[in-house]
Amino acid sequence: MARAPKPAGKSGKARTKAAPKAKPQPATRRARKIGKTAPPVRHGPPWDERFVVTAGTIVALGGSDEQVAEALGCDLDDIAFWREEHPAFDRAFERDPRTGGRPTLWDDRNVEIAKGLAKLGATDLDVAQAFGVSVRTIHRWKLEYPEFAEALRLGKEEADSLVEQSLFKRATGYTFDSEKIVTAGGVVQRVETMQHVPPDTTAAIFWLKNRKAADWRDTKNLKHGVDEDDPLADFLKEIGGRTFKPVDK
C-alpha cells in the first residue's frame, strides 16, 4: 500500500529536510592554523652587526638579557630570534660559570698575537678589542698567564725602541737611498740617488729634555732668602720673627 504524501505547508510546497549547519571551529584551532601560515610580524629595530659587540660588553659586565634588550631598543623576543639567526650574537651571551661573565676565550696562540699587536703600538684597550674581550679580561690574563704579560711587555718595548731610533735619526739627520724619475731624450728613466734629511731642531730639543733633563729642562732654580750683607737681613734679625700689629691712633 503506497504511503500518503506529506501535507504541504502554508505556502503549498512540500516540506524538505534542512541541511545540518556547520559546526563552528574553536578559536584556538583557528589561531593555531593561522600561525602556521602567516609569519610573525616583528616591530623591533633592524639587525645590526654592532649588536654583537654591544651585547658582549653588557654580558661581560654582568648584565642580564633584559638589560641587553633595553640597550638595543628591542624586546626579549627579538633577542631570542637574533640568537637563532646569528651565531656570533648567540655566543656573546655565553657566560663563564666561574665569574658569570663571558668565557675566557683563552688560546695559547694569544701570546704571539698579543706580542705582534704590542709591536704595532697597541694599548691594552686595543688588544682587548682585537680579542673581542674587555680590558678586565686582558688584566686577568696577565695574572693567570705570565707568558702573556711578558709578550705584551716585550712587544711594547720593541715598539718604544723603534720610536726612539726614529726620533734619534730625525734629531741628528740621516741619509737614505732613493730614486727619481727623469725624462732624457723623451725617455722616462729611473735614476738611483741618495737623499739627506737634515737634523730637526725640535726633535733634538725633545730628545735632550727627556734624556738629559738636568741640563736641558726649562725650569730654573730660584734662590729664596736674603744675603747676610743685605740691610734687610739686619732688620729681620732685630724683629726676631715677631709679627707686626696695628697701632691704635
Side-chain angles (χ1 to χ4, degrees):
M1 182 176 179
R3 291 184 179 180
K6 294 181 178 181
K10 294 182 180 180
S11 59
K13 296 182 180 181
R15 294 179 180 178
T16 58
K17 188 177 181 179
K21 295 182 179 180
K23 188 178 181 179
Q25 195 174 19
T28 56
R29 187 177 301 176
R30 288 201 303 270
R32 213 178 287 125
K33 185 176 180 181
I34 294 174
K36 292 182 179 179
T37 57
V41 179
R42 311 200 65 81
H43 301 286
W47 167 254
D48 193 319
E49 294 293 338
R50 292 174 294 183
F51 290 169
V52 177
V53 179
T54 303
T57 303
I58 295 175
V59 172
L61 296 174
S64 62
D65 293 0
E66 289 78 4
Q67 290 174 323
V68 175
E70 182 180 358
L72 300 182
C74 62
D75 54 27
L76 292 178
D77 292 337
D78 293 318
I79 296 295
F81 177 76
W82 288 337
R83 292 186 65 172
E84 293 180 358
E85 295 293 324
H86 307 282
F89 185 74
D90 183 59
R91 289 193 298 270
F93 287 82
E94 296 177 357
R95 291 173 169 83
D96 187 355
R98 297 174 301 175
T99 61
R102 293 186 63 187
T104 57
L105 302 176
W106 173 256
D107 193 307
D108 291 338
R109 293 173 295 180
N110 293 353
V111 175
E112 293 299 325
I113 297 174
K115 186 176 181 180
L117 293 172
K119 283 184 180 179
L120 298 176
T123 62
D124 287 353
L125 177 60
D126 298 329
V127 175
Q129 292 176 347
F131 284 115
V133 298
S134 64
V135 178
R136 184 172 57 183
T137 301
I138 297 298
H139 294 165
R140 188 175 73 247
W141 285 352
K142 288 182 180 180
L143 298 175
E144 295 179 357
Y145 308 98
E147 63 276 14
F148 182 78
E150 183 69 10
L152 285 176
R153 185 184 66 81
L154 293 176
K156 292 178 180 179
E157 286 183 357
E158 292 184 18
D160 294 341
S161 178
L162 290 175
V163 174
E164 288 178 357
Q165 294 175 16
S166 300
L167 179 62
F168 178 78
K169 289 181 179 180
R170 192 71 183 91
T172 59
Y174 60 97
T175 303
F176 64 96
D177 296 331
S178 182
E179 63 178 17
K180 289 184 178 181
I181 300 177
V182 297
T183 303
V187 180
V188 178
Q189 298 180 353
R190 294 178 179 269
V191 180
E192 295 183 356
T193 182
M194 295 183 65
Q195 293 189 13
H196 179 70
V197 178
D200 182 75
T201 306
T202 303
I205 294 175
F206 183 83
W207 177 277
L208 292 172
K209 283 184 178 181
N210 286 272
R211 296 293 291 263
K212 302 186 68 175
D215 299 330
W216 291 88
R217 61 187 176 186
D218 293 331
T219 58
K220 298 181 179 179
N221 293 325
L222 299 177
K223 184 178 180 181
H224 299 281
V226 181
D227 295 334
E228 294 184 358
D229 298 336
D230 195 307
L232 180 59
D234 297 334
F235 175 73
L236 294 175
K237 289 179 181 179
E238 290 180 1
I239 63 177
R242 292 172 293 175
T243 57
F244 294 98
K245 294 183 180 179
V247 179
D248 295 334
K249 294 183 179 180

